[in-house]
Each structure stands twice: as structure tokens, then as C-alpha cells.
Amino acid sequence: RLLGGSRYKDKWKLVTIHIGHNDVCTHPCNTTYTEFDASPTMFRRRLQKSLDYIRDHLPKTFVNYIPLMDVTITEELIDGLPFCSFAVPYVCPCLHGGFGGNPLTRDQMKELQNGYLKEMYNLINSDRYERRDFTVVLQPAFTDIRPFYAYNRRSRKLEPDLTYFGPDCLHPSQKLHALMARALWNNMLSPENEKQTNWSPTPPLLCPTPNSPYLATRSNSRNMVTKGMDSDFATYMRVVLQNRVKCYL
């Protein structure tokens, strides 16, 4: 309703969809908390219905679809903080138990998540959403994430760096949200077959260039040139480091 008026009809809009974690974490293991068909096929049908509605009612829209992050990484984190062991059975009972469910194994959860990703690749690559005034682009920036590790002086070994996650060891902290935002932005400027699927603690920040001034879509990816997209950021970082700008360092 907010965007239905003529004021927004002729303006381009950006919609970002990042869903699926509640589906895999709380629905496929028949918990007493909640259950419905969380199979990849049904996930695709529900999301297709939503994307069809956006396409038919929101012209001039660029939709980012972000596949879910791998929830199995929480198994590497739960020993780091006492609260994690308490929280994860309730945050993701279908992996860690909770609410009377029968949790999936790590391999079973990975297989379910890969099923979601495959279904969405097939849907988005079907040309169902390719129009001059509308597109849906799959941005895989978070599909291959792994926890960052840091040296723990007390245990004298490398351990997962929990500063990137919230107290429940599943939701991102502000620190990780900042990296996720940069990873998504870089995906939006990268051609279809050159999108990063993971991140580093110090990623570049791509910028549009005169040769490639647009967000990347399936239609224009073959004409995208990424060379030079990180030059402005490199110049900026040299100035930051030379002047030891504290707000960044």
C-alpha cells in the first residue's frame, strides 16, 4: 500500500529477501513447537508466490534474494560461551534438539539447506522474473561462510571468534552485520559467475565504474567489467592508514 501510489511508480526500488532459517531450524523435525512441510519443494512454492506478487504489483524493482546462511556452523561455536549451549536448542531445535523434536544430523541439515539453494537457483534462473522493469538476482554472499578463528591466550589455541556473533551464537553481531553488508554490496556489483560466496575480515568495497555503472543482473552480466572496481577503496584505505583514522582502525 505504501508504494502503490503514483509517487513511487516510476522510481526504481530495491527489495532484499533473506529468509529460510526458521524453516530449517524449527519445522522439519516434527517438534511440539511448530511443524509444517519444510521441504525444499514447498519452500520454493511459497517463495515463488511471494516473488510473483512483488513482480505483478511493484514495477521497476530490483530484488536481491539471499540464500540462508549455514546454520550448522553453530556446532563449532556452542562451546565458546555457556549461554550458547543454553540458547541453541531453542533457536534451532531441529539441529540441536529442543521442544521435543528429533534433531537432524549435521549432514542431513546441510542436505536440506542445499535443497533450498538448488530450488531457488532453478526458480530464479527460469526467466520467470526477467523483465525490463523487474529482476530477481540470487546473491550467494553468505552460502559458504565459516567462523573466523582467533588465538585464545588462556587456552593457547585457535578458537572461534565469538565477537562476530550474538549471545545465542547464531545471529550476527554488529561486527558481522557490517561485513555482511559489504559482502552483499560487492555481490550486487559482481557479474553472475563472479559473485563471492564467503567473506574475509577485511574485504574490499567495490564501486561502480564508467564501464560498469549498473547493478549486475543476469541480462547485463556478460557486459560487466569488474577491473578497477576496487581502486577507489584502495585509495581510501591508503589515506585511512596513513592518517591512522581511529573511527575505522
Side-chain angles (χ1 to χ4, degrees):
R1 289 195 301 266
L2 290 174
L3 299 178
S6 58
R7 178 182 178 184
Y8 298 101
K9 183 178 180 180
D10 296 324
K11 294 184 178 181
W12 275 95
K13 297 159 283 289
L14 176 67
V15 174
T16 298
I17 300 174
H18 183 40
I19 57 176
H21 301 86
N22 287 340
D23 296 73
V24 299
C25 273
T26 61
H27 299 307
C29 59
N30 297 320
T31 67
T32 56
Y33 175 60
T34 179
E35 64 172 294
F36 71 96
D37 188 347
S39 65
T41 301
M42 287 304 300
F43 180 78
R44 169 178 172 160
R45 289 179 184 175
R46 287 190 287 267
L47 194 56
Q48 177 179 313
K49 183 178 180 180
S50 299
L51 290 175
D52 286 355
Y53 185 88
I54 296 173
R55 178 199 60 196
D56 296 339
H57 294 84
L58 209 59
K60 284 198 169 182
T61 298
F62 184 107
V63 179
N64 287 320
Y65 174 74
I66 307 172
L68 68 168
M69 292 169 31
D70 181 8
V71 299
T72 68
I73 65 171
T74 55
E75 294 192 338
E76 301 176 42
L77 307 174
I78 57 176
D79 294 331
L81 290 174
F83 186 75
C84 289
S85 299
F86 171 78
V88 290
Y90 300 96
V91 177
C92 196
C94 287
L95 181 63
H96 297 282
F99 297 107
N102 299 310
L104 282 65
T105 66
R106 185 167 188 168
D107 288 342
Q108 288 173 329
M109 181 61 77
K110 282 182 172 291
E111 182 179 359
L112 178 62
Q113 293 176 146
N114 289 335
Y116 277 37
L117 182 59
K118 180 180 178 180
E119 288 291 343
M120 291 316 302
Y121 265 116
N122 291 338
L123 174 61
I124 292 173
N125 291 334
S126 68
D127 292 332
R128 187 182 186 92
Y129 304 110
E130 289 300 307
R131 298 194 322 202
R132 290 183 59 85
D133 67 341
F134 188 87
T135 190
V136 179
V137 180
L138 194 146
Q139 310 291 11
F142 316 144
T143 55
D144 293 327
I145 67 166
R146 298 260 50 91
F148 296 127
Y149 280 73
Y151 181 74
N152 187 316
R153 294 182 179 180
R154 181 175 300 177
S155 65
R156 297 183 179 180
K157 62 181 181 180
L158 288 175
E159 295 181 352
D161 188 346
L162 297 178
T163 63
Y164 288 94
F165 293 89
D168 61 6
C169 292
L170 178 63
H171 292 88
S173 67
Q174 185 278 333
K175 188 175 181 180
L176 185 52
H177 269 297
L179 289 183
M180 292 171 68
R182 190 181 298 188
L184 173 58
W185 172 253
N186 289 345
N187 260 201
M188 291 167 62
L189 291 176
S190 299
E192 187 174 25
N193 296 323
E194 297 182 29
K195 297 181 185 294
Q196 295 295 313
T197 60
N198 54 23
W199 53 54
S200 73
T202 55
L205 183 65
L206 303 184
C207 296
T209 65
N211 291 326
S212 297
Y214 307 112
L215 300 182
T217 67
R218 291 183 61 218
S219 298
N220 68 16
S221 280
R222 65 174 65 93
N223 300 318
M224 296 287 290
V225 179
T226 57
K227 183 178 180 180
M229 281 189 172
D230 60 350
S231 59
D232 287 344
F233 179 72
T235 301
Y236 165 74
M237 284 305 300
R238 282 196 298 270
V239 174
V240 167
L241 294 173
Q242 288 172 0
N243 295 277
R244 299 192 61 80
V245 178
K246 294 183 178 180
C247 65
Y248 190 92
L249 300 177

